[in-house]
Amino acid sequence: MTDATRIRALVIDDEPLARDMIREMLGRDSDVEVVGECVNGREAVEAIKSLSPDLIFLDIQMPELGGFEVLESLDPQQAPYVIFATAYDQYAVRAFDVHAFDYLLKPFDEERFDTAWQRAKAQIKLDRTGERDRHILELLEELKAGPRYLERLVVKTGGRVFFLDVGDIHCIEAEGNYVRVHDKGKHYLLRETISGLEEQLDPKQFLRIHRSAIVKIDKIKELQPWFHGEYRIILENGKQLTLSRNYRANLQEAVGNAL
């Protein structure tokens, strides 16, 4: 490719090592030019406007503005192709919901990176015009339609990866920087904080009942008065949890009854 036709890439990540690794991997291909790096979302928005990259490698969790917020703030005429790169696999479903071109889960290896890059390069070469604009408009329409809540969780267990429908969840319990998700008869450990996961779940379906517990409202089978104004919540799968007094008003509002 000539300088005029090389693919212009922008690397957006708050971790210097992550930026260096992406730049190094791209540097082996003469078809791409890395036009800049950004360390937070606000820098990214300005850089996209001024540099007009064809492709961005975008972290999701960053200071000031996250990756999804960066995309929401873009003009449709300036939005590039997107490859997300993040350490948190729970964002994978939403990333593809907003038509991200690919999704790299840190730490990714050279082979996985090259697969994403080669696919993006081939697509950009094929359609730098109408098809690209349609793809970008779909992405922005999805984002501006309002908040999208998780419909599935990515679960890794026993050497396999599968999707768990949030409709099957009974409750979620915090375990440090992890959460344990319970369905009807099993439970799975995910690398996510309970507060981070709460923000991604539909509040009409899920309720925080304790600083370390979330329940799916329609899985509540019974409430039993407990000590000091607290309640025991019994779920359909037999799991019992405590409704803290600090979260009692949340449940009252959800069920429409005074406790």
Side-chain angles (χ1 to χ4, degrees):
M1 286 187 173
T2 65
D3 287 345
T5 58
R6 292 171 75 191
I7 294 171
R8 296 167 56 81
L10 178 68
V11 181
I12 305 164
D13 200 305
D14 62 333
E15 299 177 2
L17 289 177
R19 297 195 306 273
D20 290 345
M21 183 172 63
I22 292 174
R23 179 184 280 275
E24 179 182 347
M25 291 182 177
L26 289 175
R28 301 166 189 169
D29 192 329
S30 60
D31 286 346
V32 62
E33 176 189 4
V34 178
V35 296
E37 297 180 9
C38 302
V39 301
N40 61 56
R42 295 199 183 280
E43 280 188 13
V45 173
E46 294 304 315
I48 292 168
K49 290 178 180 178
S50 62
L51 298 174
S52 300
D54 301 300
L55 172 69
I56 60 174
F57 290 86
L58 180 62
D59 192 11
I60 292 179
Q61 285 201 324
M62 295 183 295
E64 299 188 48
L65 284 180
F68 292 118
E69 288 73 27
V70 168
L71 297 182
E72 288 171 0
S73 67
L74 297 180
D75 185 292
Q77 303 304 317
Q78 293 184 307
Y81 282 105
V82 181
I83 294 179
F84 280 114
T86 181
Y88 298 94
D89 55 6
Q90 294 308 317
Y91 295 107
V93 175
R94 188 182 176 201
F96 287 114
D97 281 345
V98 299
H99 307 285
F101 196 84
D102 210 332
Y103 183 93
L104 297 173
L105 181 61
K106 299 174 183 176
F108 49 84
D109 57 22
E110 185 174 347
E111 181 180 0
R112 178 66 185 91
F113 178 89
D114 194 57
T115 297
W117 160 238
Q118 294 299 332
R119 287 183 60 243
K121 181 170 75 168
Q123 185 68 29
I124 292 170
K125 284 182 177 180
L126 282 173
D127 54 35
R128 288 177 174 250
T129 55
E131 182 66 20
R132 178 175 185 266
D133 292 341
R134 182 192 63 78
H135 173 91
I136 292 166
L137 286 170
E138 286 180 356
L139 184 154
L140 293 173
E141 286 172 3
E142 291 277 1
L143 287 169
K144 292 178 179 178
R148 291 181 62 89
Y149 298 110
L150 284 179
E151 297 179 356
R152 298 178 295 173
L153 295 179
V154 180
V155 176
K156 298 178 182 178
T157 182
R160 66 192 183 100
V161 179
F162 68 94
F163 289 114
L164 175 65
D165 191 327
V166 298
D168 295 330
I169 294 173
H170 282 62
C171 66
I172 302 164
E173 294 181 283
E175 294 191 15
N177 290 324
Y178 290 77
V179 293
R180 191 168 297 278
V181 180
H182 298 260
D183 61 13
K184 185 175 182 179
K186 298 180 180 180
H187 53 85
Y188 313 97
L189 193 65
L190 305 181
R191 188 174 68 174
E192 175 68 272
T193 65
I194 195 165
S195 295
L197 193 53
E198 180 185 18
E199 292 177 358
Q200 301 174 66
L201 294 170
D202 186 349
K204 294 181 180 178
Q205 299 184 52
F206 291 89
L207 186 70
R208 188 81 171 261
I209 62 164
H210 192 275
R211 63 183 178 85
S212 61
I214 296 172
V215 299
K216 192 163 190 295
I217 297 170
D218 64 6
K219 302 298 184 183
I220 297 174
K221 181 180 179 181
E222 185 179 348
L223 292 173
Q224 295 180 351
W226 207 242
F227 301 106
H228 309 298
E230 295 182 340
Y231 278 77
R232 292 294 283 173
I233 292 180
I234 302 174
L235 303 177
E236 290 180 358
N237 64 356
K239 181 77 174 174
Q240 296 188 21
L241 298 166
T242 300
L243 170 64
S244 167
R245 285 181 297 171
N246 293 337
Y247 293 90
R248 181 171 168 174
N250 293 354
L251 184 59
Q252 288 183 190
E253 183 179 350
V255 302
N257 292 307
L259 298 178

